[in-house]
Amino acid sequence: APPPPPRPPGMPPPPPPPPLPGGKGAPPPPPGPPVPTGPQLRALHWKKFAAAKDGTVWRALPPVASFDETELKSLFTIRPAARKPSMAAATPAAPTVNAKGARALLDLKRSNQIQIAISKFRGRDMRAAVLALDEAVVKLEDIPRLRECAPTPEEMDMLQPFSEASELQALKLAPAEEFLFQMSSVPQLMPRLGCFLSKLNFPGRLQDAEAQLTAINAAVGCVRSSSQLPKLLALVLQLGNFLNAGTARAGAAGFGSDVLLKLSETKSTVSDDHPSQISLLHYVARAVVAGTPDAHKSLRHELRPLEEAAALSSAGVSEELDGLQSELETLKRELNLDAYTAVPGDRFIQVMGPWRAEAAKQVDGLRAKVAQMLGGLEGLYEFFAEPFDPADAEGLLTRINAFTVSFCKACRDNERAEHMRKKQIEAKAAAAKRAQAGAKPAKPVPKRPAGGGAMGNIQNSLRRGEFEMMKRLQSQMSAELQSKMQARRQGIVG
C-alpha cells in the first residue's frame, strides 16, 4: 500500500486505532449467565417473566412442598447418546297442453320441483299468507321451499302476458305455472321471504349466542377462582427454575402458559436406575398427588365450566352478532320502499316495522354482553401477565383446558402404573415364597362312596383303570336294565 500523504505543519497526529477485542486496554465483556456446574439437566423452555406484577396470579402463588432434588436430577440428567452404526446409503319450449287441457310452460324438471313443493303447501293459501306474513300459516321450514320455487325474472317475463292480455287470462295454467303466476304478484318476494326468515329464526339465534356468552364467562370465572390451578403453576415454576439452573431462563417469577403444553414433551433420561422414561408432566402429577391424592379430581371439578366452553369461540359469537345487525339493516332499507304499499292485504310494514325496533334493542343488548365477555377475556390475560390478542381471545382458555385434560390423564396413568407395580411385587413375593417352601404334596382326593349295583362297580373300575372289567360290568348293567324293563312290561300286561 502507498504511504499516507504528509500532514500539513501544525496538525495534530491522528487518534490511535481502537483496541482489538480481548486485547490490552479493551473494556471487560459484560458478565454472562452463570456457568452450570455438575451434570447438565434437560431444560424447560419457557417464556420467562422476570418479575411478578401486582394483580397477577404470580404475585400470590401458594407455597410448594419440597421435592426430591436427587431424584429429579437422576431423572432429567442428559447423558451422551451412544453412537449407532452408520447404515449404508440406499439407492434411489314452446307451450304445451297437458291431458287436462292446462297450459304447461316450464320444463319437466322445474315443473316437478314446484309441484313437490305445492304438495307440502296443500290446503294453504300461500300467496295471502306471504302477503300478510302470517306465522300461523307460513312455518319456518316453508321458507326455503318458497325461495326455491320463487319465479325467476325469465319466468316472470314468460307469465306477464297472462296477466295483461284478456284472451290469455281465460286460459287454464298447469299447477306449477299457476303457482308461479300467483307468487309473481307478491311485491319484493325474495327480500320479503329473507326478512321474514330473519324474524322467525331470530329468537333461536339470540338464545344460542347468549348461551355461548354465558358459557365463556363461566369459564373465565372458574379459572380465576380455582384453588388447585395456582398450586400446579407454583410447582411447575419451582421445577422449571431447578431444571433451568445456570441458564438465562433460571430465576423466573412466572412463565407463559404455552409451556404447560410442553411438559409432556420434556422426557426423562433412561438409565440403569430408571429404565422406563417418564415425562415432566407425569412427574408433576406424581408430586401433586403425593401431597393431595384427589388433586386432579378437585381440579377437574373446579374447571368443569372450562371444559364445557372448550368448543366455543368468541369470534363465532361476534360473527353471529354482525350477521343479525346486517339483517336488521337490510330490513330497514326494505321498510322504506313504496312497493310494500301497492297490493291490498300486504302487511309487511305493519308486521316487520315494530318487530325490527324490538329486535334492534335486543341486538344492542347482545353487543354490550359481547363487549363484557371480551373484557373478561382480556382481564384473564392480564391476570396471567400475558399480552391479549383479540384474534385469539380464547386461546388462554384453550391452553389451560388442554393442560387440565393432560394433567388428569397423567394422574390416571400414574395410578395404573402404580397398580401394576404393586401387582408385580406381590407376584414376585408369592413366587419367592413358593420357591422357599418347595413343592408341597398334593392333597388327597376324598373318595366318594360308590353307589350300589352295576353303576357303582363301573365307577370303581374307572377309577382303578380296569377298562376290561368296566366293559363287562357295562354289559351286565345293560342286561339288568333289560330284565327290569321286561318285568315291568309283564306287570303292566298282567
Side-chain angles (χ1 to χ4, degrees):
R7 297 188 305 273
M11 292 295 292
L20 297 176
K24 187 176 181 180
V35 179
T37 59
Q40 184 180 1
L41 302 179
R42 295 192 183 276
L44 183 59
H45 299 276
W46 58 20
K47 182 180 178 181
K48 172 183 172 181
F49 297 159
K53 296 181 179 180
D54 293 336
T56 65
V57 67
W58 309 112
R59 191 65 173 175
L61 288 177
V64 180
S66 60
F67 57 90
D68 191 343
E69 296 185 4
T70 303
E71 181 191 19
L72 191 63
K73 286 184 178 180
S74 178
L75 283 170
F76 294 95
T77 297
I78 299 178
R79 294 176 175 83
R83 291 188 177 181
K84 297 182 180 180
S86 59
M87 303 294 293
T91 55
T96 59
V97 181
N98 60 17
K100 297 182 179 180
R103 292 277 176 169
L105 308 176
L106 304 174
D107 61 82
L108 184 59
K109 181 179 179 180
R110 176 66 168 161
S111 178
N112 289 338
Q113 178 192 22
I114 297 174
Q115 292 191 64
I116 291 173
I118 294 175
S119 65
K120 305 293 183 181
F121 306 148
R122 185 173 290 113
R124 293 181 285 173
D125 187 353
M126 298 306 293
R127 177 186 178 278
V130 171
L131 277 172
L133 299 181
D134 190 351
E135 297 183 24
V137 178
V138 181
K139 307 298 182 182
L140 181 61
E141 61 272 13
D142 293 329
I143 295 183
R145 300 190 187 102
L146 288 170
R147 298 177 77 171
E148 291 177 359
C149 299
T152 65
E154 294 79 8
E155 291 170 345
M156 294 183 69
D157 293 340
M158 179 179 60
L159 294 170
Q160 186 67 24
F162 288 86
S163 61
E164 296 177 351
S166 58
E167 64 274 10
L168 295 178
Q169 293 178 358
L171 296 178
K172 182 181 180 181
L173 294 174
E177 285 76 1
E178 180 64 27
F179 179 81
L180 290 182
F181 181 74
Q182 294 293 330
M183 300 305 295
S184 64
S185 63
V186 178
Q188 298 288 108
L189 178 60
M190 289 298 288
R192 177 192 300 265
L193 292 174
C195 294
F196 195 40
L197 179 62
S198 299
K199 180 179 184 296
L200 294 181
N201 63 21
F202 181 83
R205 293 168 64 186
L206 185 68
Q207 184 178 1
D208 291 344
E210 290 180 342
Q212 294 183 51
L213 290 175
T214 301
I216 294 175
N217 290 333
V220 172
C222 75
V223 170
R224 300 198 64 153
S225 62
S226 173
S227 61
Q228 293 295 329
L229 185 60
K231 297 178 182 179
L232 285 175
L233 297 178
L235 179 59
V236 173
L237 179 63
Q238 187 172 359
L239 294 176
N241 280 328
F242 181 84
L243 294 175
N244 293 334
T247 69
R249 291 181 292 270
F255 53 84
S257 60
D258 57 337
V259 77
L260 296 175
L261 307 182
K262 300 177 182 178
L263 298 179
S264 60
E265 302 172 3
T266 306
K267 304 289 185 180
S268 65
T269 305
V270 177
S271 63
D272 295 337
D273 296 333
H274 303 283
S276 59
Q277 194 177 47
I278 68 170
S279 68
L280 185 57
L281 177 64
H282 286 77
Y283 184 87
V284 170
R286 190 173 68 185
V288 171
V289 173
T292 310
D294 294 333
H296 61 293
K297 296 180 181 178
S298 300
L299 179 67
R300 188 171 184 181
H301 176 72
E302 289 178 350
L303 301 184
R304 179 75 66 182
L306 177 61
E307 182 180 356
E308 296 173 354
L312 302 179
S313 169
S314 59
V317 179
S318 299
E319 290 177 1
E320 182 69 12
L321 175 62
D322 293 340
L324 293 174
Q325 184 66 44
S326 176
E327 292 174 9
L328 291 180
E329 292 297 327
T330 300
L331 175 57
K332 182 179 180 180
R333 291 192 297 270
E334 292 294 317
L335 289 171
N336 293 326
L337 298 179
D338 296 333
Y340 293 102
T341 61
V343 178
D346 193 341
R347 302 188 67 251
F348 182 85
I349 296 178
Q350 292 86 336
V351 173
M352 301 302 296
W355 174 81
R356 186 199 172 280
E358 181 63 27
K361 294 179 182 178
Q362 294 176 313
V363 169
D364 290 340
L366 180 63
R367 187 176 300 280
K369 293 179 181 179
V370 170
Q372 182 181 4
M373 174 200 67
L374 294 176
L377 290 172
E378 185 174 3
L380 185 65
Y381 274 83
E382 295 176 357
F383 184 63
F384 280 81
E386 296 189 24
F388 177 66
D389 182 9
D392 189 26
E394 67 280 348
L396 180 57
L397 290 178
T398 302
R399 290 190 290 273
I400 295 177
N401 179 67
F403 168 69
T404 303
V405 174
S406 301
F407 173 77
C408 294
K409 181 181 181 299
C411 291
R412 294 193 298 269
D413 293 343
N414 290 343
E415 290 177 357
R416 287 192 292 266
E418 181 65 16
H419 177 74
M420 293 300 298
R421 188 184 67 83
K422 291 181 179 180
K423 285 289 185 181
Q424 292 175 358
I425 293 175
E426 293 174 358
K428 289 180 180 179
K433 187 176 181 181
R434 288 194 301 268
Q436 183 179 5
K440 295 183 179 180
K443 295 182 179 180
V445 180
K447 294 183 179 181
R448 296 179 181 178
M455 180 57 73
N457 295 332
I458 290 175
Q459 293 176 352
N460 293 331
S461 299
L462 181 61
R463 294 192 187 99
R464 294 192 297 269
E466 300 172 349
F467 298 105
E468 296 297 332
M469 179 62 72
M470 184 181 66
K471 292 180 180 179
R472 291 196 295 271
L473 291 174
Q474 187 177 5
S475 301
Q476 179 182 353
M477 184 181 68
S478 299
E480 290 179 1
L481 289 175
Q482 289 179 1
S483 63
K484 290 180 180 180
M485 292 176 64
Q486 185 66 27
R488 180 174 295 180
R489 292 194 194 98
Q490 290 178 357
I492 293 173
V493 173

